[in-house]
Amino acid sequence: MIKKKTTQKYYFSVEGETEQWYLKWLQDLINSTEASLYKVSIDCMPKNPIKLVKSITVTRKIDIYHFFDYESGEQIHVKRFLNTMDEMKRAEKLGKQIRYKSGYSNFTFDLWIILHMTDCYSSFADRSKYITPINKVFQESFQSMDEYKEENNFKRCLKKMDLSNVIDAVGRARKIMQRNRENGYTLHEYKGYQYYKENPSLASWQAIEKILSDCNLLPKSRRGMV
């Protein structure tokens, strides 16, 4: 008799629809993988950290990953980025046994998607430039980022990927952060959260690596690195 897998639950708050669609896709992908040690339940809510924490009830200590963007070095975007980390820290203090973890992307979550298919060490002038590598790796011809982010279009790109792409993306993201250290970039810290002002940089991969590691889906050479 085949032993029924237990379920591991993970919590995310996100700012956009593409992040929600991606996490749902990842959940379904892992749950359809026989090699996974566990089933996973990814609780993903499009709320800011404070509203989310106020809306849930937990009976144990949990981590919540927040996916958000460092959209540019312009003052309005930097302020929004810092305000998000303020909210994450304030949410932790609401007394609900919650620890908030950063899943930032510089510039955008779309960097993480590109890394599923190829390295991306280029520093872009603005967020719209991601459309070029997106079209290249997914063999598409989107005219804009908005077109790419339409639900049917984005989900069509997801269907072109599998678990091996997710594992590759984690490795590529780790290399980006290693290169940033080697290049001597300043690792800034704010309210206990670390980030680089330079792009590309990201922390979103750490949440995905944790899930893959828990499910025993990382290659043996990568285990124990989380």
Side-chain angles (χ1 to χ4, degrees), residues 16-172:
E17 290 183 317
T18 54
E19 292 91 335
Q20 293 180 69
W21 297 330
Y22 173 84
L23 290 169
K24 176 62 166 61
W25 169 82
L26 180 66
Q27 173 185 280
D28 293 345
L29 179 65
I30 292 174
N31 289 341
S32 65
T33 301
E34 288 188 14
S36 179
L37 189 61
Y38 301 105
K39 294 286 188 180
V40 298
S41 172
I42 297 179
D43 197 335
C44 174
M45 287 159 279
K47 293 184 177 181
N48 70 43
I50 294 174
K51 287 183 178 179
L52 172 59
V53 171
K54 287 182 176 179
S55 70
I56 65 174
T57 300
V58 295
T59 58
R60 59 182 176 84
K61 292 182 179 180
I62 64 168
D63 292 335
I64 301 178
Y65 291 89
H66 187 60
F67 280 177
F68 64 116
D69 296 336
Y70 185 99
E71 297 183 53
S72 81
E74 296 180 10
Q75 184 176 359
I76 185 173
H77 291 149
V78 172
K79 183 178 181 181
R80 184 183 302 161
F81 183 73
L82 297 178
N83 285 345
T84 297
M85 290 185 286
D86 284 334
E87 289 184 341
M88 291 161 63
K89 189 56 62 177
R90 285 169 56 198
E92 285 187 336
K93 296 178 180 179
L94 293 177
K96 292 195 175 184
Q97 305 186 80
I98 287 169
R99 178 172 61 174
Y100 248 100
K101 291 192 171 184
S102 170
Y104 88 94
S105 297
N106 184 349
F107 283 132
T108 78
F109 182 73
D110 309 299
L111 167 63
W112 169 244
I113 299 298
I114 293 168
L115 292 177
H116 286 64
M117 307 297 281
T118 189
D119 291 318
C120 187
Y121 296 120
S122 299
S123 179
F124 292 108
D126 62 71
R127 292 163 288 155
S128 66
K129 303 301 182 183
Y130 283 109
I131 195 61
T132 299
I134 286 170
N135 278 332
K136 182 177 181 179
V137 299
F138 290 112
Q139 298 182 323
E140 296 285 352
S141 56
F142 302 127
Q143 296 301 302
S144 67
M145 291 297 290
D146 285 342
E147 183 181 356
Y148 149 72
K149 291 184 178 184
E150 291 177 6
E151 184 172 2
N152 289 338
N153 292 338
F154 183 79
K155 289 184 176 179
R156 184 169 70 249
C157 292
L158 291 178
K159 289 179 180 179
K160 298 179 181 182
M161 305 190 300
D162 58 26
L163 184 62
S164 67
N165 297 112
V166 182
I167 294 171
D168 288 344
V170 169
R172 289 172 179 138

Side-chain angles (χ1 to χ4, degrees), residues 121 174-185:
Y121 296 120
R174 182 183 287 277
K175 287 180 181 177
I176 285 177
M177 300 303 274
Q178 181 180 339
R179 281 169 62 109
N180 287 348
R181 290 193 296 271
E182 293 171 350
N183 288 335
Y185 297 153

